Amino acid sequence: LIVGICLGIEFSGAVPSNKDFKTVTISKCKEFLKNTSSENKCEEVWDAFSKAYVGKDPCEVPMEAYDPLMQTVREKDACNRMLLWSKTKLFVRQLREAQKCLPKLLTLEDTLLGFVMDGQTWCSKKGSKETFTKGCPKSDKCERNPVRSFWNRASEAFSQAACGEVTAMLNGSISTPFNNNSIFASIEVKQLSPPQVKALSVILVTTGNDKETCENDSLRTLQNAALDRELEYTCKELDGSKILDCISDPDRPCGDCW
Ligand code: AVW
């Protein structure tokens, strides 16, 4: 292990990015599965993952390319504690990092694939065996890129495992908290339906002075979409800055903050 670490550091500039990326991906996978019966599954996960995009044009990777990967990783159902988010990734991360008073909510980043791929970029080229982590197309250039398609597919699988009441943290400091182009609107909400899912509870998080309310037009659209799907719908506004101040204050008990 020590030799490996030394080599990794010494040659980090020279090692092709596919080796680095594979190493990082497999080690994060092993970290996540440590002390579980699936500990040895990470090579299999890597094979299924890399087959989705290696050798392909980075603008021609549809979300279905990750179907075999989803078969190798079965997520447990998350009843009454699933947390979806849209344009609130940083806030959700800060909440999780604070580790205090956290309602026991599960995000995509708490699942194996979400944890492993969070923050990573990857793509390949037609006919290549390599993975690149730089110069990959962004979604404004092409929608069907390996990263975007991965998050689409992983989010679809994640929301399919929802049950009971699902919470969504949306951004109340932008004019369209529920945006049709988001993964939340275009993929996740469409997976939520009875009898498995009963209710959608929106938390509208505001930071700073721009504050939308639950009466926002796009949230009305979401409410109607939820009611059409026969889901109960609630929405509540939350001052994000206050919450973060409160949970970072060691003198204030949990109950004060939520
Ligand atoms: P967004 P969305 N790491 O804020 O509703 C890196 O516009 O579209 O909200 N990139 C990610 C991650 C992640 N962990 N997750 C999503 N992305 C990408 C997944 C994705 O391409 C969670 F379950 C997305 O379009 C949320 O409920 C873009 O970041 C939901 O999807 C910006 O997301 C958030 O997607």
Side-chain angles (χ1 to χ4, degrees), residues 83-89 108-109 114 117-119 147-148 151 155 158 181-185 188:
L83 177 62
L84 305 176
W85 51 267
S86 197
K87 299 279 185 290
T88 50
K89 190 171 195 288
L108 178 55
E109 293 69 40
M117 302 323 297
D118 197 5
V147 176
R148 174 75 193 197
W151 289 113
S155 305
F158 182 60
N181 299 324
S182 67
I183 295 184
F184 175 67
E188 292 175 329

Short mmCIF file of all heavy atoms in Angstrom, two decimals, residues 83-89 108-109 114 117-119 147-148 151 155 158 181-185 188, ligand 1:
data_model
loop_
_atom_site.label_atom_id
_atom_site.label_comp_id
_atom_site.label_asym_id
_atom_site.label_seq_id
_atom_site.Cartn_x
_atom_site.Cartn_y
_atom_site.Cartn_z
N LEU A 83 -34.36 12.33 0.15
CA LEU A 83 -34.24 13.76 -0.09
C LEU A 83 -33.77 14.02 -1.52
O LEU A 83 -32.66 13.65 -1.89
CB LEU A 83 -33.24 14.39 0.89
CG LEU A 83 -32.97 15.87 0.70
CD1 LEU A 83 -34.23 16.69 0.89
CD2 LEU A 83 -31.90 16.35 1.66
N LEU A 84 -34.64 14.65 -2.31
CA LEU A 84 -34.25 15.09 -3.65
C LEU A 84 -33.91 16.57 -3.55
O LEU A 84 -34.36 17.25 -2.63
CB LEU A 84 -35.41 14.86 -4.63
CG LEU A 84 -35.93 13.42 -4.68
CD1 LEU A 84 -37.15 13.33 -5.60
CD2 LEU A 84 -34.85 12.46 -5.15
N TRP A 85 -33.14 17.07 -4.48
CA TRP A 85 -32.77 18.48 -4.43
C TRP A 85 -32.66 19.02 -5.85
O TRP A 85 -32.46 18.27 -6.80
CB TRP A 85 -31.44 18.68 -3.69
CG TRP A 85 -30.33 17.82 -4.19
CD1 TRP A 85 -29.97 16.59 -3.70
CD2 TRP A 85 -29.46 18.08 -5.30
NE1 TRP A 85 -28.92 16.08 -4.42
CE2 TRP A 85 -28.59 16.98 -5.42
CE3 TRP A 85 -29.32 19.13 -6.20
CZ2 TRP A 85 -27.59 16.89 -6.40
CZ3 TRP A 85 -28.34 19.05 -7.18
CH2 TRP A 85 -27.49 17.94 -7.27
N SER A 86 -32.80 20.31 -5.99
CA SER A 86 -32.59 20.94 -7.29
C SER A 86 -32.07 22.36 -7.04
O SER A 86 -32.73 23.15 -6.36
CB SER A 86 -33.92 20.97 -8.07
OG SER A 86 -33.69 21.21 -9.43
N LYS A 87 -30.88 22.63 -7.56
CA LYS A 87 -30.19 23.91 -7.36
C LYS A 87 -29.95 24.23 -5.88
O LYS A 87 -29.90 25.38 -5.49
CB LYS A 87 -30.99 25.07 -8.00
CG LYS A 87 -31.17 24.93 -9.51
CD LYS A 87 -29.92 25.41 -10.26
CE LYS A 87 -30.12 25.40 -11.78
NZ LYS A 87 -30.21 24.07 -12.37
N THR A 88 -29.84 23.19 -5.08
CA THR A 88 -29.53 23.39 -3.65
C THR A 88 -28.42 22.44 -3.21
O THR A 88 -28.31 22.12 -2.03
CB THR A 88 -30.77 23.15 -2.76
OG1 THR A 88 -31.34 21.89 -3.13
CG2 THR A 88 -31.82 24.22 -2.90
N LYS A 89 -27.59 22.00 -4.16
CA LYS A 89 -26.58 20.98 -3.84
C LYS A 89 -25.65 21.44 -2.71
O LYS A 89 -25.36 20.68 -1.79
CB LYS A 89 -25.76 20.67 -5.09
CG LYS A 89 -24.84 19.47 -4.96
CD LYS A 89 -24.25 19.11 -6.30
CE LYS A 89 -23.63 17.73 -6.29
NZ LYS A 89 -22.39 17.65 -5.54
N LEU A 108 -29.06 11.14 -3.08
CA LEU A 108 -28.37 10.31 -4.08
C LEU A 108 -26.89 10.14 -3.72
O LEU A 108 -26.30 9.10 -3.97
CB LEU A 108 -28.54 10.98 -5.46
CG LEU A 108 -27.87 10.33 -6.66
CD1 LEU A 108 -28.28 8.87 -6.83
CD2 LEU A 108 -28.20 11.10 -7.94
N GLU A 109 -26.31 11.16 -3.12
CA GLU A 109 -24.89 11.10 -2.76
C GLU A 109 -24.62 10.16 -1.58
O GLU A 109 -23.47 9.91 -1.24
CB GLU A 109 -24.35 12.50 -2.43
CG GLU A 109 -24.28 13.43 -3.62
CD GLU A 109 -25.66 13.86 -4.13
OE1 GLU A 109 -26.56 14.13 -3.31
OE2 GLU A 109 -25.85 13.91 -5.36
N GLY A 114 -23.83 7.41 -6.33
CA GLY A 114 -23.80 8.86 -6.11
C GLY A 114 -22.55 9.26 -5.34
O GLY A 114 -21.90 10.25 -5.68
N MET A 117 -19.32 8.80 -7.74
CA MET A 117 -19.17 9.67 -8.91
C MET A 117 -19.31 11.16 -8.58
O MET A 117 -19.01 11.99 -9.43
CB MET A 117 -20.19 9.29 -9.99
CG MET A 117 -20.09 7.85 -10.48
SD MET A 117 -18.42 7.18 -10.58
CE MET A 117 -17.68 8.22 -11.82
N ASP A 118 -19.75 11.47 -7.37
CA ASP A 118 -19.94 12.87 -6.97
C ASP A 118 -18.68 13.68 -7.25
O ASP A 118 -17.60 13.32 -6.80
CB ASP A 118 -20.27 12.92 -5.47
CG ASP A 118 -20.88 14.26 -5.08
OD1 ASP A 118 -21.13 15.10 -5.96
OD2 ASP A 118 -21.11 14.47 -3.87
N GLY A 119 -18.82 14.74 -8.03
CA GLY A 119 -17.68 15.62 -8.30
C GLY A 119 -16.72 15.13 -9.38
O GLY A 119 -15.77 15.84 -9.71
N VAL A 147 -21.42 12.11 -18.47
CA VAL A 147 -21.67 12.56 -17.10
C VAL A 147 -23.16 12.87 -16.91
O VAL A 147 -23.80 12.38 -15.98
CB VAL A 147 -20.80 13.79 -16.75
CG1 VAL A 147 -21.13 14.31 -15.36
CG2 VAL A 147 -19.32 13.43 -16.85
N ARG A 148 -23.69 13.68 -17.80
CA ARG A 148 -25.11 14.05 -17.72
C ARG A 148 -26.00 12.80 -17.78
O ARG A 148 -26.94 12.65 -16.99
CB ARG A 148 -25.42 15.01 -18.87
CG ARG A 148 -26.87 15.39 -19.02
CD ARG A 148 -27.27 16.37 -17.95
NE ARG A 148 -28.73 16.50 -17.91
CZ ARG A 148 -29.38 17.48 -17.32
NH1 ARG A 148 -28.71 18.43 -16.69
NH2 ARG A 148 -30.67 17.53 -17.32
N TRP A 151 -25.97 10.91 -14.48
CA TRP A 151 -26.79 11.49 -13.41
C TRP A 151 -28.28 11.33 -13.73
O TRP A 151 -29.08 11.10 -12.82
CB TRP A 151 -26.41 12.94 -13.14
CG TRP A 151 -25.07 13.03 -12.47
CD1 TRP A 151 -23.93 13.56 -13.00
CD2 TRP A 151 -24.72 12.52 -11.17
NE1 TRP A 151 -22.88 13.42 -12.10
CE2 TRP A 151 -23.33 12.79 -10.97
CE3 TRP A 151 -25.42 11.85 -10.16
CZ2 TRP A 151 -22.66 12.41 -9.81
CZ3 TRP A 151 -24.75 11.48 -9.00
CH2 TRP A 151 -23.39 11.77 -8.83
N SER A 155 -30.30 9.13 -11.14
CA SER A 155 -31.40 9.82 -10.47
C SER A 155 -32.72 9.09 -10.71
O SER A 155 -33.57 9.00 -9.81
CB SER A 155 -31.53 11.26 -10.99
OG SER A 155 -30.32 11.94 -10.85
N PHE A 158 -32.67 6.10 -8.47
CA PHE A 158 -32.81 6.53 -7.08
C PHE A 158 -34.27 6.85 -6.77
O PHE A 158 -34.83 6.36 -5.79
CB PHE A 158 -31.92 7.76 -6.86
CG PHE A 158 -31.92 8.29 -5.45
CD1 PHE A 158 -31.50 7.49 -4.40
CD2 PHE A 158 -32.31 9.60 -5.18
CE1 PHE A 158 -31.48 7.99 -3.09
CE2 PHE A 158 -32.29 10.10 -3.89
CZ PHE A 158 -31.88 9.29 -2.84
N ASN A 181 -36.39 21.87 -17.02
CA ASN A 181 -35.18 21.26 -17.56
C ASN A 181 -34.36 20.51 -16.52
O ASN A 181 -33.39 19.86 -16.86
CB ASN A 181 -34.28 22.34 -18.18
CG ASN A 181 -34.97 23.05 -19.31
OD1 ASN A 181 -35.73 22.42 -20.05
ND2 ASN A 181 -34.75 24.34 -19.43
N SER A 182 -34.75 20.65 -15.26
CA SER A 182 -33.94 20.00 -14.22
C SER A 182 -34.19 18.50 -14.20
O SER A 182 -35.22 18.02 -14.70
CB SER A 182 -34.30 20.59 -12.85
OG SER A 182 -35.63 20.24 -12.51
N ILE A 183 -33.27 17.77 -13.61
CA ILE A 183 -33.45 16.33 -13.44
C ILE A 183 -34.63 16.09 -12.50
O ILE A 183 -35.43 15.17 -12.70
CB ILE A 183 -32.18 15.69 -12.84
CG1 ILE A 183 -31.03 15.80 -13.85
CG2 ILE A 183 -32.42 14.23 -12.45
CD1 ILE A 183 -29.75 15.11 -13.40
N PHE A 184 -34.74 16.94 -11.50
CA PHE A 184 -35.84 16.79 -10.55
C PHE A 184 -37.19 16.81 -11.27
O PHE A 184 -38.03 15.93 -11.07
CB PHE A 184 -35.78 17.89 -9.49
CG PHE A 184 -36.94 17.87 -8.55
CD1 PHE A 184 -37.12 16.82 -7.66
CD2 PHE A 184 -37.89 18.90 -8.56
CE1 PHE A 184 -38.22 16.77 -6.81
CE2 PHE A 184 -38.98 18.87 -7.71
CZ PHE A 184 -39.15 17.81 -6.84
N ALA A 185 -37.37 17.81 -12.17
CA ALA A 185 -38.66 17.94 -12.87
C ALA A 185 -38.81 16.91 -13.99
O ALA A 185 -39.86 16.30 -14.15
CB ALA A 185 -38.81 19.34 -13.44
N GLU A 188 -37.15 12.83 -11.96
CA GLU A 188 -37.46 12.29 -10.63
C GLU A 188 -38.96 12.35 -10.29
O GLU A 188 -39.55 11.34 -9.89
CB GLU A 188 -36.61 13.00 -9.57
CG GLU A 188 -35.15 12.60 -9.73
CD GLU A 188 -34.19 13.34 -8.80
OE1 GLU A 188 -34.43 14.50 -8.44
OE2 GLU A 188 -33.16 12.75 -8.46
P1 AVW B 1 -29.45 20.91 -10.52
P2 AVW B 1 -31.34 18.83 -10.91
N1 AVW B 1 -22.54 15.40 -8.54
O1 AVW B 1 -29.05 21.63 -9.30
O2 AVW B 1 -32.77 18.83 -10.50
C1 AVW B 1 -22.32 16.10 -9.65
O3 AVW B 1 -29.81 21.72 -11.73
O4 AVW B 1 -31.07 18.87 -12.38
O5 AVW B 1 -30.67 20.01 -10.12
N2 AVW B 1 -23.31 16.42 -10.50
C2 AVW B 1 -24.55 16.04 -10.20
C3 AVW B 1 -24.86 15.32 -9.04
C4 AVW B 1 -23.78 15.00 -8.19
N3 AVW B 1 -23.94 14.34 -7.05
N4 AVW B 1 -26.20 15.09 -9.02
C5 AVW B 1 -26.69 15.68 -10.13
N5 AVW B 1 -25.68 16.22 -10.84
C6 AVW B 1 -25.69 16.99 -12.07
C7 AVW B 1 -29.83 14.20 -8.63
C8 AVW B 1 -26.81 16.75 -12.99
O6 AVW B 1 -26.32 16.64 -14.32
C9 AVW B 1 -30.34 14.34 -7.22
F1 AVW B 1 -31.05 13.24 -6.89
C10 AVW B 1 -27.70 17.98 -12.81
O7 AVW B 1 -28.36 18.34 -13.95
C11 AVW B 1 -31.20 15.56 -7.24
O8 AVW B 1 -32.46 15.26 -6.68
C12 AVW B 1 -26.72 19.05 -12.46
O9 AVW B 1 -25.78 18.36 -11.65
C13 AVW B 1 -31.31 15.96 -8.69
O10 AVW B 1 -30.64 14.96 -9.44
C14 AVW B 1 -27.29 20.21 -11.73
O11 AVW B 1 -28.33 19.85 -10.89
C15 AVW B 1 -30.64 17.27 -8.97
O12 AVW B 1 -30.64 17.51 -10.32
#
